Amino acid sequence: MSSFSIARKKTPFQKLREEEEAKKKRAEDETARLYAEFVESFQGDNAPGSKAFVRGGTINPNERPTTDSEGGNSKDGASLPKEGK
């Protein structure tokens, strides 16, 4: 007698389980990729001109605001847009 193999059909439960495992694997891979991008975004870019923090002017609440030539009020000399524009 020659040997033969029996091809078993997968039950709907087995198919569903395999699909869920495949989805879980894809989700884990995607999560790992996104996490790697997230961590990479915090690695310092020491290229000139790329700053993570830009300091603005200092505002003193006890100082009276000055009127800018543009018509906006400013404490540090920076122009602000007029109201209504």
Side-chain angles (χ1 to χ4, degrees):
M1 271 188 137
S2 64
S3 65
F4 62 94
S5 64
I6 299 175
R8 290 187 159 170
K9 281 189 144 186
K10 292 182 181 178
T11 65
F13 177 75
Q14 289 172 330
K15 289 179 185 178
L16 180 64
R17 189 169 184 176
E18 286 179 358
E19 287 175 9
E20 288 175 352
E21 288 174 358
K23 283 182 186 179
K24 186 177 179 181
K25 175 71 173 149
R26 284 192 302 267
E28 288 174 354
D29 291 344
E30 180 70 10
T31 303
R33 185 185 64 79
L34 291 174
Y35 180 72
E37 283 183 20
F38 176 75
V39 169
E40 185 177 305
S41 70
F42 284 101
Q43 303 301 321
D45 287 337
N46 294 332
S50 65
K51 290 187 177 182
F53 179 76
V54 178
R55 184 177 179 136
T58 305
I59 299 173
N60 186 353
N62 298 328
E63 191 176 303
R64 184 176 176 99
T66 58
T67 305
D68 198 8
S69 63
E70 293 286 319
N73 291 334
S74 173
K75 292 181 182 179
D76 61 355
S79 66
L80 300 173
K82 289 183 182 179
E83 298 241 355
K85 273 192 173 183

